[in-house]
Amino acid sequence: MTDLVLVLGDQLSPDLASLRQTAPGEADILMVEAISETGYVWHHRKKIALVLSAMRHFAAELEATGRRVVYHRLDQARPCTSFTDAVERALAEGAYKRIILTESGEWRLRKEFEGWRDRFDVPVVIVEDDRFICSHDRFHRWAEGRKQLRMEYFYREMRRETDLLMDGDKPAGGRWNYDADNRKPADADLFMPRPHAVEPDAVTQSVIALVASRFPDGFGDIEPFRFAVTRVGAEAALDHFIDTALADFGHYQDAMLAGEAFLYHSLLSAYINIGLLDPLAVCHRVEAAWRAGRAPLNAAEGFIRQIIGWREYVRGIYWREGPDYVRRNALKATRPLPEFYWTGETDMACLAATIDQTRREAYAHHIQRLMVTGTFAMIAGIDPHAVHEWYLAVYIDAFEWVEAPNVIGMSQFADGGLLASKPYAASGAYIDRMSDYCSGCRFNVKDKTGPDSCPFNSLYWDFLDRNADTLRGNPRLGPVYRNWDRMSDDKRQAYRDRARDVLDTL
Ligand code: FAD
């Protein structure tokens, strides 16, 4: 009897822990384009196409190494409704010794898979996903007993453990973090790098046609589709980033420009998240580029911190906090998500640009997600669960373990400050400083409370006012509340009135 190894759509790594448990000939590999997975949120159509095409390519690569793959397509006569359905079919058709799988990246599937231990008569072996730098156990040991789980301290431990950017036991250059050098606004530049683009092959083209016909009303543009769908393609995207953008990644990490969706960002998150690139190997490549003099230290450090710091840290938080984390709502926000989050139809130029780009590309960079769509939702008092579902749907790289802490914790402060030491609330001035959106906006960013004033300005103060009971005690907000307290009653009321008008239009 052989084993049955289930490989999920974000587990497309040849040295996946579950694949290492068996040799070719000892196991059938089960891969499933399950209906349940395309529909649990209103996924961007590019995201569905990326995962399906990458799965089909990965299955072919496994077969080329002598593995037998049982592959269920979404467009077969009777597609599988779920992974459970697929395993039931496999067990009905063949006798298997064990079902083996690598743990999933979300609580929803973890529950389904753990239920198989009672459901099936065959032993179910779930192995840890060791494509991460920090194991569950390691994160628990780090977090245990700490009052605050600050990313910066976690990151330093990861630097020491990976030996990335270290000179002996000291951080390269003498500092752990070069973020102070990384907050420059950018100017439109004809020589700005262009994203790596891959011409869709026959497999990808047929997946695009499938997604277009099956999800005619799905979110987002399916074409043009330029993502890589194989390991080789993703490695070419990494080379392209190092050659064209890494050197300026640090300086312009927080910058936003109306006509530029990508600036100096890497666009590698989806490839790393579905397993086409290994996060540690990516960091080694970036460190090597710095050591070879091809990028400054602030760029290499900033980039590596995002991966061995933020990416690992948010994963630790996700599993530590449990399945109810996505329901946290520390600020008791209840307003429904405005329709313009799906259509992009708003006069606020920053939101229109970010959402329009999200619809077209399934991509927005970190500061757009955090300080435009994220900040607006938080200061407008939108229900954080609705915000979470939106982010989980619309981005090419959205998988719950990484999306939820970024949204619930970092951007919405809905976990009450577990992840962020203060809410990322800001008035229009921040967006004006870091972008060119405001110059083309119908609202006036300099106007605080008038009928044409930038909505961020009044919502910012109204948010602080509405949530004063919860936030006033936060030491990092002390100076802000002192400013609010120093304002005249009339001025404070003008902010409240203008905020009410803005909220009424949502
Ligand atoms: P770059 O700017 O080039 O950064 C390099 C890499 O660092 C990324 O590829 C990514 O792997 C990693 N990284 C950077 N920031 C983070 C972070 N905060 N958390 C985890 N990894 C990070 N990232 C996702 O992968 N999936 C998500 O669903 C997701 N949702 C987010 C939601 C919000 C509200 C916010 C504020 C951030 C979110 N992020 C998410 C993190 C970050 O925005 C994306 O990883 C990044 O924009 C991807 O683009 P890039 O590959 O060009 O990144």
Side-chain angles (χ1 to χ4, degrees), residues 3 39 54 146 167 180 182 212 252 359:
D3 287 318
R146 280 173 197 259
D167 285 336
N182 288 357
Y252 301 118
R359 288 175 56 85

Side-chain angles (χ1 to χ4, degrees), residues 213-228:
S213 73
R214 202 174 167 104
F215 306 99
D217 304 319
F219 177 75
D221 297 352
I222 179 80
E223 291 188 284
F225 184 93
R226 296 279 178 258
F227 287 97

Side-chain angles (χ1 to χ4, degrees), residues 35-56:
I35 293 173
S36 56
E37 300 315 294
T38 56
Y40 66 90
V41 285
W42 200 37
H43 299 288
H44 198 296
R45 296 192 295 171
K46 279 194 166 83
K47 179 178 165 191
I48 302 177
L50 172 76
V51 174
L52 297 192
S53 180
M55 283 174 69
R56 291 181 183 191

Side-chain angles (χ1 to χ4, degrees), residues 1-2 48 84 87 110 146 178 203 205 278 318 384 438 463 489 495:
M1 273 206 295
T2 53
I48 302 177
T84 303
V87 171
R110 175 183 274 201
R146 280 173 197 259
Y178 288 83
V203 174
Q205 282 174 17
D278 174 62
Y318 176 77
C438 303
F463 164 79
D489 286 349
Y495 275 122

Side-chain angles (χ1 to χ4, degrees), residues 249 265-269 272-273 303 306-307 310-311 314 363-366 369-370 391 397-399 402-403 406-407 410-411:
F249 171 84
H265 292 274
S266 71
L267 280 68
L268 296 176
S269 51
I272 303 174
N273 293 352
F303 184 88
Q306 306 310 318
I307 294 191
W310 281 111
R311 187 173 184 274
V314 297
Y363 180 85
H365 70 68
H366 185 72
R369 298 188 205 194
L370 184 63
Y391 278 98
D397 54 20
F399 296 89
V402 53
E403 172 276 334
N406 271 299
V407 173
M410 193 182 324
S411 93

Side-chain angles (χ1 to χ4, degrees), residues 73 392 414 424 473 499:
R73 293 164 63 127
L392 189 57
Y424 280 93

Side-chain angles (χ1 to χ4, degrees), residues 8-29:
L8 308 179
D10 61 353
Q11 298 183 341
L12 309 180
S13 313
D15 60 349
L16 190 71
S18 49
L19 289 171
R20 295 203 309 271
Q21 304 278 317
T22 61
E26 288 175 7
D28 286 352
I29 313 299

Side-chain angles (χ1 to χ4, degrees), residues 213-439:
S213 73
R214 202 174 167 104
F215 306 99
D217 304 319
F219 177 75
D221 297 352
I222 179 80
E223 291 188 284
F225 184 93
R226 296 279 178 258
F227 287 97
V229 289
T230 61
R231 173 167 313 276
V232 171
E235 276 166 4
L238 171 61
D239 290 341
H240 179 82
F241 166 65
I242 292 174
D243 291 345
T244 65
L246 173 63
D248 282 313
F249 171 84
H251 288 143
Y252 301 118
Q253 213 179 328
D254 290 3
M256 298 174 279
L257 285 176
E260 295 288 345
F262 310 109
L263 289 103
Y264 299 90
H265 292 274
S266 71
L267 280 68
L268 296 176
S269 51
Y271 305 142
I272 303 174
N273 293 352
I274 66 174
L276 298 184
L277 290 177
D278 174 62
L280 194 54
V282 169
C283 292
H284 282 303
R285 288 287 314 281
V286 167
E287 176 177 26
W290 166 66
R291 290 203 186 271
R294 297 174 63 205
L297 184 54
N298 67 303
E301 188 281 317
F303 184 88
I304 287 172
R305 174 158 30 89
Q306 306 310 318
I307 294 191
I308 68 169
W310 281 111
R311 187 173 184 274
E312 296 288 328
Y313 167 80
V314 297
R315 176 181 184 253
I317 298 273
Y318 176 77
W319 289 114
R320 191 167 192 271
E321 291 304 306
D324 297 338
Y325 185 74
V326 298
R327 293 275 172 195
R328 302 246 173 116
N329 190 354
L331 302 178
K332 302 188 173 52
T334 54
R335 196 172 286 277
L337 189 76
E339 182 61 21
F340 70 71
Y341 269 73
W342 299 108
T343 63
E345 284 167 18
T346 165
D347 287 341
M348 288 176 271
C350 55
L351 280 156
T354 303
I355 295 165
D356 176 56
Q357 158 191 335
T358 299
R359 288 175 56 85
R360 281 186 289 108
E361 312 286 357
Y363 180 85
H365 70 68
H366 185 72
I367 291 300
Q368 293 174 304
R369 298 188 205 194
L370 184 63
M371 302 305 292
V372 179
T373 41
T375 292
F376 185 85
M378 180 178 68
I379 63 181
I382 311 295
D383 172 5
H385 190 74
V387 181
H388 149 69
E389 290 197 321
W390 182 79
Y391 278 98
L392 189 57
V394 302
Y395 290 112
I396 190 93
D397 54 20
F399 296 89
E400 197 177 87
W401 64 266
V402 53
E403 172 276 334
N406 271 299
V407 173
I408 296 289
M410 193 182 324
S411 93
Q412 300 303 295
F413 206 71
D415 65 5
L418 178 78
L419 202 138
S421 56
K422 74 176 175 69
Y424 280 93
S427 67
Y430 174 85
I431 293 174
D432 194 27
R433 190 165 65 249
M434 296 310 300
S435 80
D436 61 356
Y437 294 138
C438 303
S439 57

